[in-house]
Every structure is written in structure tokens, then in C-alpha cells.
Amino acid sequence: MTRNANVSRKTSETDINIKMNLDGTGEYDISTGVNFFNHMMESFSKHSMVDLDIQATGDIEIDDHHTVEDIGILLGEAFYEAIGDKKGIKRMAHAIVPMDDSVATVAIDISGRSYCNMNLDFNNEKIGDMTSDVVVHFFESFASSAKVNIYGTVEGANDHHKAEAVFKAFAKSIKEAIKVEHDQIPSTKGVL
């Protein structure tokens, strides 16, 4: 079984190409034009063991919103394509990740339904060169197109640590939820 995807999207605001291999080794090549977001996507790839190639250009001279949002949408589409019929996957998982002063919890259900509840409060408008309010929007965009449920919280003082803990917890929960454990669809409905 090959669980990978290669997706592209070009709009008047962004031009994005994403390659994803769910059964990878955490190799990545990330270029989004938003340096802190690059760092978050690299952390996601490394800690989920999902190989990820994201090449994106966007209207970051305006701000980072369109770029981060569209990457979230397209990353979700890639995930939805790569996960396939979900036969044999663990489906639900969670992770608690500490990072210095911060601790994040993320739970995921690869349910075929979209829902996102991220309770993330940041202290500052920006984290590096990324607007802090797009963190939640990224997860909303991913959940919508990946057709997954995501719930997350974070506590701490330092915004960099808080955001990084969230992305690492997201990675760890994805890594666990996509594990193939058996040969059945993990639902009483028989379909996800």
C-alpha cells in the first residue's frame, strides 16, 4: 500500500505544490516564504515521520494569511488523498508535548468529518515573521479539507514554545493515528 499524494493549487494569491508520503522517515523540503511557518512544518514532518515537500509562493507583501491558509487547505487535501480508504488505521490518537515553559495537547480523529477546536492563546501579534492568529486558522483549514477532527490546547509563557509544542503534538498524534494496526475499516459504519 502506497500512502502518498502530490497536489497543487494556484490562485491569484498563492502558488503551492505539496508532496506527501505518510510512510516516510521525516524527510522534508519546505519553502513557504514565512520563515517561522517553515520551522513549524519542518517540526511537523520530523515528528510525524511524514515526508513533506512544500514549495509555496504567496502575497506575503500583504501578510501571511493567504499563504498559511492555502497551505493548510492543500496539506489537508494531500492528507485526505494519501490516507485513502483508511483501512486498518488506528484512526484516533492524542499527544501531550512539553517544550520548556509550555505544554500542548492535541487529539485527532481521522473520522471523515471536519471539526476543529483549537484553544490557543498567544501573547503577541507575531511569532517571528508569522502572525499568531493564523496558527488556529491553519488547523481549521487542514481539518476542513482533510476531513478530520482536531482538538488542541496549549499553556505557557513563550509564544514560540507554545506554537512549536502545538505543531509537535499535532505531528505525534498524526503519527499514531495513521498507524496500520489491522485490516478493517475502524468504524461500526464500515466506512470513514
Side-chain angles (χ1 to χ4, degrees):
M1 166 172 52
T2 302
R3 300 191 301 170
N4 54 41
N6 187 350
V7 295
S8 298
R9 181 173 188 220
K10 185 171 186 172
T11 72
S12 61
E13 299 166 341
T14 60
D15 186 357
I16 302 166
N17 296 287
I18 296 179
K19 294 177 187 172
M20 173 185 280
N21 177 4
L22 295 181
D23 301 302
T25 58
E27 296 293 317
Y28 56 82
D29 183 6
I30 313 285
S31 177
T32 70
V34 183
N35 294 320
F36 187 77
F37 190 55
N38 290 347
H39 180 43
M40 295 302 95
M41 291 289 88
E42 291 165 358
S43 289
F44 168 76
S45 176
K46 182 58 71 177
H47 293 280
S48 65
M49 301 299 285
V50 170
D51 290 346
L52 200 53
D53 184 323
I54 302 174
Q55 302 303 313
T57 56
D59 56 0
I60 57 173
E61 69 280 0
I62 295 171
D63 67 14
D64 56 353
H65 181 93
H66 296 144
T67 300
V68 174
E69 174 185 46
D70 286 3
I71 289 170
I73 291 167
L74 206 58
L75 192 69
E77 288 177 10
F79 182 84
Y80 185 76
E81 180 181 319
I83 200 71
D85 67 4
K86 305 172 193 77
K87 187 175 182 181
I89 65 168
K90 186 171 183 177
R91 179 181 158 179
M92 292 167 269
H94 70 279
I96 301 171
V97 171
M99 184 166 181
D100 298 337
D101 59 284
S102 302
V103 63
T105 302
V106 173
I108 189 163
D109 180 5
I110 305 172
S111 62
R113 298 178 309 276
S114 303
Y115 187 78
C116 183
N117 184 339
M118 300 299 280
N119 186 7
L120 313 177
D121 290 320
F122 296 104
N123 302 315
N124 300 294
E125 183 180 327
K126 292 264 216 184
I127 310 168
D129 63 343
M130 186 168 113
T131 311
S132 57
D133 67 0
V134 299
V135 175
V136 170
H137 195 52
F138 165 81
F139 287 107
E140 291 168 342
S141 299
F142 177 87
S144 179
S145 57
K147 295 183 171 61
V148 301
N149 294 175
I150 303 174
Y151 176 83
T153 61
V154 69
E155 295 178 20
N158 181 284
D159 283 348
H160 183 131
H161 297 161
K162 288 163 70 175
E164 191 164 344
V166 168
F167 276 91
K168 286 177 177 176
F170 174 55
K172 292 289 190 185
S173 61
I174 286 278
K175 179 182 178 184
E176 195 65 23
I178 65 175
K179 282 184 179 175
V180 176
E181 298 186 318
H182 46 78
D183 64 354
Q184 301 171 25
I185 300 292
S187 171
T188 55
K189 297 180 185 75
V191 66
L192 284 172

